[in-house]
Amino acid sequence: MKSRLLRSEPDRVFLLRLERGDAFVESLARFAGEQGISAARIEGIGAFTDARLGFYDLERKDYDRFSVDEDAEVLSLLGNVTRKDGEPWVHAHVTLGRRDGAAIGGHLFEGHVAATLEVFVSAVPEELVREVDDHVGLALIRP
Amino acid sequence: MKSRLLRSEPDRVFLLRLERGDAFVESLARFAGEQGISAARIEGIGAFTDARLGFYDLERKDYDRFSVDEDAEVLSLLGNVTRKDGEPWVHAHVTLGRRDGAAIGGHLFEGHVAATLEVFVSAVPEELVREVDDHVGLALIRP
Amino acid sequence: MKSRLLRSEPDRVFLLRLERGDAFVESLARFAGEQGISAARIEGIGAFTDARLGFYDLERKDYDRFSVDEDAEVLSLLGNVTRKDGEPWVHAHVTLGRRDGAAIGGHLFEGHVAATLEVFVSAVPEELVREVDDHVGLALIRP
């Protein structure tokens, strides 16, 4: 993964260019740690060779998990970076386009990059912290 | 719904955290009114328990309406806040992911939040006004 | 297509309002050239009357191409403007919603606007340049 600082003031905006085989969630979490990013918006497009997705079942308080084990266009990759237990935490949802154009998607556990993935990371000089909410069973952003 | 001002200069960026049962469009319109927001970009992810969507039929000049009456991941929620007849107006499109990953979407009339919905609102210090365009039958942004 | 400068400092943010029949990729590339934009994020919603999409086949190093020749909601339009061979280059992916809500999408070669298309263009005062990468067969952003 390569990064480029596009703007430094008033807040930092980065372009990340991920390359074939890069693991997106892992790469972004590491990058956020290195850069001291504790709150950011993310948006990107590109393609994955495989992706592990989830659908949150509120009754079970756990994710149904499924995989897309084929090349797919990343039609939209949206989400945020926050902190959980002091570490960078990536929350991203993705819409993927199959070869025939059919779109599928979900919560993104991880995805490996096909040809490229181009992601803008817009940091804000704040800290957003997640804490587990027992009612829904997920780590929610503390208001 | 809880809000957090992430940045105040040069323009305001808010994070909204909506909670179980919150109505997104209604909540955002009220928030925009309270904050005096007359132009903003919005982008978010999360999940809805139900959503009322639409497909605009240009010939009839009206929406075909349909509902998604089950929990669904909000894969992308994009749009804007403008003013119409002096009041805040939310224009949002949504892509939803069903339990099996299948994606559906449309113009968002309203959606109620499942576990959480995380929305960034990037205001700009301008006023964007909508006016009905008789040719297409919709309130378009006045250039 | 009409444009409105929403913010000029620290970087320019534009709202583009495209109208019935406008070709999005062509219109945005021309606009970027006129405005001297060499790096920008784009995000939009609206509707297309027809769209030419692609799925990149890494083995063939070429796109499978397909068309959506009917009105469709633009659920998400995300991407960027860069420079390639000195000229503005639009890289956008789109998720479309059909009349029944079914979502499809891919790399956007071109789309013609139905009732309206509302696009935010967030420029950054940098130049992002694309160069063909022989390994994947695509013009990637130079880090």
Side-chain angles (χ1 to χ4, degrees):
Chain A
M1 188 184 87
K2 303 290 196 342
S3 67
R4 171 94 170 265
L5 179 63
L6 294 178
R7 190 180 83 187
S8 55
E9 292 292 337
D11 10 76
R12 292 177 293 167
V13 175
F14 299 92
L15 173 77
L16 306 183
R17 193 196 89 172
L18 287 90
E19 287 146 14
R20 185 155 180 73
D22 283 345
F24 167 70
V25 173
E26 179 191 324
S27 299
L28 176 56
R30 190 186 320 120
F31 179 77
E34 291 166 358
Q35 297 288 336
I37 294 171
S38 49
R41 277 178 295 153
I42 56 176
E43 59 182 70
I45 61 171
F48 283 146
T49 55
D50 61 78
R52 289 186 288 114
L53 306 181
F55 172 93
Y56 194 69
D57 186 315
L58 253 174
E59 290 200 14
R60 286 196 306 117
K61 294 185 182 176
D62 200 4
Y63 285 96
D64 290 355
R65 289 164 179 261
F66 55 102
S67 293
V68 178
D69 291 320
E70 61 189 54
D71 285 7
E73 299 285 333
V74 174
L75 305 181
S76 73
L77 172 59
L78 293 171
N80 52 66
V81 178
T82 54
R83 292 272 164 160
K84 183 173 168 236
D85 303 324
E87 299 296 321
W89 184 260
V90 175
H91 184 206
H93 284 194
V94 70
T95 308
L96 301 174
R98 293 186 191 268
R99 186 176 291 267
D100 66 356
I104 53 173
H107 171 94
L108 180 65
F109 285 105
E110 189 55 280
H112 290 92
V113 174
T116 193
L117 187 73
E118 300 167 353
V119 181
F120 289 98
V121 177
S122 303
V124 287
E126 288 280 333
E127 185 169 70
L128 288 173
V129 173
R130 286 184 184 273
E131 286 173 335
V132 173
D133 177 301
D134 290 333
H135 186 57
V136 299
L138 286 171
L140 303 184
I141 299 175
R142 194 167 60 194
Chain B
M1 188 185 85
K2 303 290 192 348
S3 68
R4 171 97 170 263
L5 179 63
L6 294 178
R7 191 178 82 187
S8 54
E9 292 292 335
D11 10 78
R12 292 178 292 168
V13 175
F14 298 91
L15 173 76
L16 306 183
R17 192 195 91 173
L18 288 91
E19 287 146 15
R20 185 155 180 73
D22 284 345
F24 168 70
V25 173
E26 178 190 324
S27 298
L28 176 57
R30 191 187 320 122
F31 179 77
E34 291 165 357
Q35 297 287 337
I37 295 171
S38 48
R41 279 179 294 154
I42 57 176
E43 61 182 67
I45 61 171
F48 283 147
T49 55
D50 61 78
R52 289 187 288 115
L53 306 179
F55 173 93
Y56 194 70
D57 185 317
L58 255 173
E59 291 200 14
R60 286 197 304 117
K61 294 186 183 176
D62 199 2
Y63 284 97
D64 290 355
R65 289 165 178 259
F66 56 101
S67 294
V68 179
D69 291 320
E70 62 191 53
D71 285 8
E73 300 284 334
V74 174
L75 305 180
S76 73
L77 172 58
L78 293 171
N80 51 66
V81 178
T82 54
R83 294 270 164 162
K84 182 172 169 236
D85 301 325
E87 298 297 319
W89 185 259
V90 175
H91 183 207
H93 284 193
V94 70
T95 309
L96 301 173
R98 293 186 192 267
R99 187 177 290 268
D100 66 355
I104 52 175
H107 171 93
L108 180 65
F109 286 106
E110 189 55 278
H112 290 93
V113 174
T116 194
L117 188 73
E118 300 167 353
V119 182
F120 290 98
V121 177
S122 303
V124 287
E126 288 280 332
E127 185 169 72
L128 288 173
V129 173
R130 288 185 182 275
E131 288 173 334
V132 173
D133 176 301
D134 290 332
H135 187 55
V136 298
L138 286 171
L140 304 184
I141 298 176
R142 193 166 62 193
Chain C
M1 188 184 84
K2 303 291 192 348
S3 68
R4 170 94 171 266
L5 180 63
L6 294 178
R7 191 178 83 186
S8 54
E9 292 293 335
D11 5 82
R12 292 177 294 169
V13 176
F14 299 92
L15 173 77
L16 306 183
R17 192 195 91 172
L18 288 91
E19 287 146 15
R20 186 157 180 73
D22 284 345
F24 167 71
V25 172
E26 178 190 322
S27 298
L28 176 56
R30 190 188 318 122
F31 179 77
E34 291 165 357
Q35 297 288 337
I37 295 171
S38 48
R41 279 178 293 153
I42 56 176
E43 60 182 68
I45 61 172
F48 283 146
T49 56
D50 62 77
R52 289 187 289 112
L53 306 180
F55 172 93
Y56 194 68
D57 186 317
L58 255 172
E59 290 199 15
R60 286 198 304 118
K61 294 185 183 175
D62 200 2
Y63 284 95
D64 290 355
R65 290 165 178 258
F66 55 102
S67 293
V68 178
D69 291 320
E70 61 191 52
D71 284 8
E73 299 284 334
V74 174
L75 305 180
S76 73
L77 171 59
L78 293 171
N80 51 66
V81 177
T82 55
R83 292 271 164 163
K84 184 175 170 234
D85 302 326
E87 297 297 319
W89 184 260
V90 175
H91 183 205
H93 284 194
V94 71
T95 308
L96 301 174
R98 293 187 192 266
R99 186 176 290 267
D100 66 356
I104 52 174
H107 172 92
L108 181 64
F109 286 106
E110 189 56 278
H112 290 93
V113 174
T116 193
L117 187 74
E118 300 167 352
V119 182
F120 289 99
V121 177
S122 303
V124 286
E126 289 280 332
E127 184 169 73
L128 288 173
V129 174
R130 287 184 183 274
E131 287 174 335
V132 173
D133 176 302
D134 290 332
H135 186 57
V136 298
L138 286 171
L140 303 184
I141 299 176
R142 193 166 63 193

